[in-house]
Amino acid sequence: MRVPFLDLKTQYLTIKDDVKRAIDEVCEATAFAGGPFVERFEKDFAAFCGSKYCVGVGNGTDAIWLALLGLGIGEGDEVITAPSTFVATAEAISFAGADPVFVDIEPDTCNMNPKILEYAITPRTKAVIPVHLFGQPADMDPILEIAKKHNLAVLEDACQAHGALYKGRQAGTMGIAGCFSFYPGKNLGAFGEAGAVVTDNEELAKKIKVLRDHGQPQKYHHDVIGWNGRMDGIQGAVLSVKLRHLDKWNEARRANAKKYNQLLAGVSGIRLPVEKDYARHVYHLYAVRDPKRNALMAYLNDRGVATGIHYPVPLHMTKAYAYLNHKTGSFPVAELAASEFVSLPMYPELTGEQIEYVCQCIKEFHSK
Ligand SMILES: Cc1ncc(COP(=O)(O)O)c(C=O)c1O
């Protein structure tokens, strides 16, 4: 049996007619950059999240970067985030002109550890970016409380957490703004690059709208130095179609995670993902931990099962962030996790037989 890590084609076939019709409408209207299809998706996604505003942008990295710029964060400022994330979280901070400051993660959820957050705050700190890693919201209440105490903005990196809940609240709606990626493999994925910022703050939404469009509130009237960070019309149209299926797809991911959990329970050597009582985890990734992960990955690969590592190098150990002068041991929980993470195949259309096969291979590996 072959089990791919991700299977976008199978999902596409289930919505092919609607997607083709939506793309055709954009072509007929020649509304390719921004425009009515993006506006419609912005309305749809704001309603889905329960936010007042949604601003569609080019990708998730743009979403975080433009939100930081909109908040007035820049040179000389520090922004706190976790070292266990995709590099884009830190890149956005860097491209805003600020410095990323890392806070180690909780050993079970692998999200930012609120218990040690306060130690990282300095007079230069302006914002905190909790990342809802793998689709499980970070423990937001203590983070929001600490941020409030120190007058810091909280920007959520919800790029992996479309539809995830924290104590019933939608990921992306608890801080001043939430940033989403619609990269094709995400729980809500475009047919190319796309992203969005959701917020209840009208002023921030307006600023991001202007920044994503060359700083022009009105065509060719450039009030600030902006950028081209618009969303494509085709992406907006496709995303509106796909959004209608998101809840169902997230439920399917959750059912798949449950099946993995049941079948892998008690396998010694494997640590399963922990879903907190406060969370509705949407399993963008199903990442287990295994000290023998490289051998396990090779074993699975030989048996037709594709896996991934998210992420092999915590950000403070990357060459890109060597200038921050961290060393091995600076964030020990993140470092250990990075050496053990292995993501198993996870997508809504994954079948029960495929999950059984993957688990059987893992059990074989660990019984040797
Ligand atoms: C946690 C996280 N932050 C930011 C991003 C950046 O999103 P994009 O690839 O759309 O720029 C991603 C996705 O790739 C992500 O997973």
Side-chain angles (χ1 to χ4, degrees):
M1 189 186 284
R2 301 204 73 75
V3 188
F5 185 65
L6 190 62
D7 182 358
L8 296 179
K9 180 76 181 276
T10 299
Q11 182 169 94
Y12 170 61
L13 294 176
T14 67
I15 51 169
K16 188 172 171 175
D17 292 342
D18 287 346
V19 164
K20 285 197 158 173
R21 204 174 304 119
I23 293 175
D24 198 44
E25 276 178 35
V26 180
C27 297
E28 290 296 333
T30 65
F32 297 116
F37 297 94
V38 172
E39 279 166 27
R40 191 176 66 197
F41 172 68
E42 288 172 337
K43 272 206 191 91
D44 294 345
F45 196 62
F48 175 85
C49 293
S51 288
K52 283 194 186 148
Y53 308 98
C54 168
V55 185
V57 294
N59 52 61
T61 316
D62 276 358
I64 306 170
W65 176 57
L66 294 174
L68 286 168
L69 294 185
L71 289 167
I73 288 163
E75 206 144 318
D77 297 335
E78 289 177 351
V79 178
I80 296 174
T81 192
S84 300
T85 177
F86 182 55
V87 70
T89 320
E91 281 174 336
I93 298 168
S94 301
F95 265 71
D99 288 314
V101 170
F102 300 118
V103 164
D104 211 349
I105 55 171
E106 298 172 322
D108 54 355
T109 64
C110 297
N111 277 324
M112 175 186 287
N113 189 343
K115 291 197 181 79
I116 50 173
L117 167 59
E118 213 158 6
Y119 300 117
I121 297 172
T122 75
R124 290 171 57 201
T125 311
K126 290 286 164 7
V128 186
I129 308 185
V131 181
H132 305 318
L133 194 70
F134 304 149
Q136 168 154 252
D139 191 2
M140 289 300 290
D141 276 345
I143 293 172
L144 290 164
E145 198 180 306
I146 293 164
K148 194 171 172 195
K149 181 173 153 197
H150 294 270
N151 198 24
L152 309 176
V154 175
L155 192 62
E156 295 170 63
D157 181 338
C159 288
Q160 301 186 358
H162 321 69
L165 300 176
Y166 174 81
K167 299 182 183 174
R169 288 176 271 166
Q170 282 281 345
T173 65
M174 293 170 273
I176 179 106
C179 302
F180 289 88
S181 162
F182 305 117
Y183 186 74
K186 295 292 199 251
N187 291 31
L188 179 61
F191 278 23
E193 304 275 355
V197 182
V198 299
T199 182
D200 281 346
N201 186 304
E202 187 180 5
E203 193 191 331
L204 182 62
K206 270 190 190 156
K207 278 188 182 163
I208 298 169
K209 272 190 179 172
V210 169
L211 285 166
R212 76 163 173 192
D213 195 19
H214 299 292
Q216 51 182 5
Q218 199 191 332
K219 201 162 186 176
Y220 302 131
H221 293 265
H222 309 280
D223 289 1
V224 292
I225 300 171
W227 196 250
N228 179 355
R230 293 179 300 246
M231 183 190 278
D232 286 350
I234 285 179
Q235 304 312 338
V238 169
L239 286 167
S240 282
V241 170
K242 293 186 75 177
L243 181 59
R244 302 202 284 267
H245 302 273
L246 180 58
D247 275 332
K248 175 185 72 193
W249 287 334
N250 279 341
E251 277 310 314
R253 286 176 183 269
R254 288 177 55 72
N256 292 343
K258 197 168 165 192
K259 189 162 176 90
Y260 269 130
N261 288 343
Q262 280 162 354
L263 294 176
L264 292 175
V267 177
S268 66
I270 287 264
R271 222 160 124 182
L272 304 180
V274 171
E275 180 166 336
K276 290 292 201 178
D277 287 344
Y278 57 63
R280 178 191 187 236
H281 193 324
V282 291
Y283 295 96
H284 170 56
L285 292 166
Y286 184 87
V288 300
R289 289 175 59 171
D290 189 335
K292 294 188 194 151
R293 85 81 199 279
N294 292 347
L296 173 65
M297 290 176 79
Y299 188 87
L300 291 174
N301 186 53
D302 288 348
R303 282 152 188 79
V305 177
T307 55
I309 304 178
H310 303 87
Y311 299 89
V313 187
L315 295 189
H316 67 285
M317 301 297 284
T318 60
K319 274 193 204 161
Y321 285 102
Y323 86 95
L324 294 172
N325 288 320
H326 293 299
K327 44 187 184 304
T328 308
S330 293
F331 302 102
V333 187
E335 289 162 31
L336 182 64
S339 71
E340 296 182 344
F341 276 142
V342 46
S343 304
L344 304 182
M346 173 53 83
Y347 44 91
E349 298 76 17
L350 194 64
T351 66
E353 292 73 45
Q354 286 175 312
I355 296 172
E356 280 158 22
Y357 176 67
V358 174
C359 294
Q360 183 198 320
C361 294
I362 293 172
K363 282 181 186 163
E364 267 168 28
F365 173 81
H366 274 292
S367 65
K368 278 193 303 150

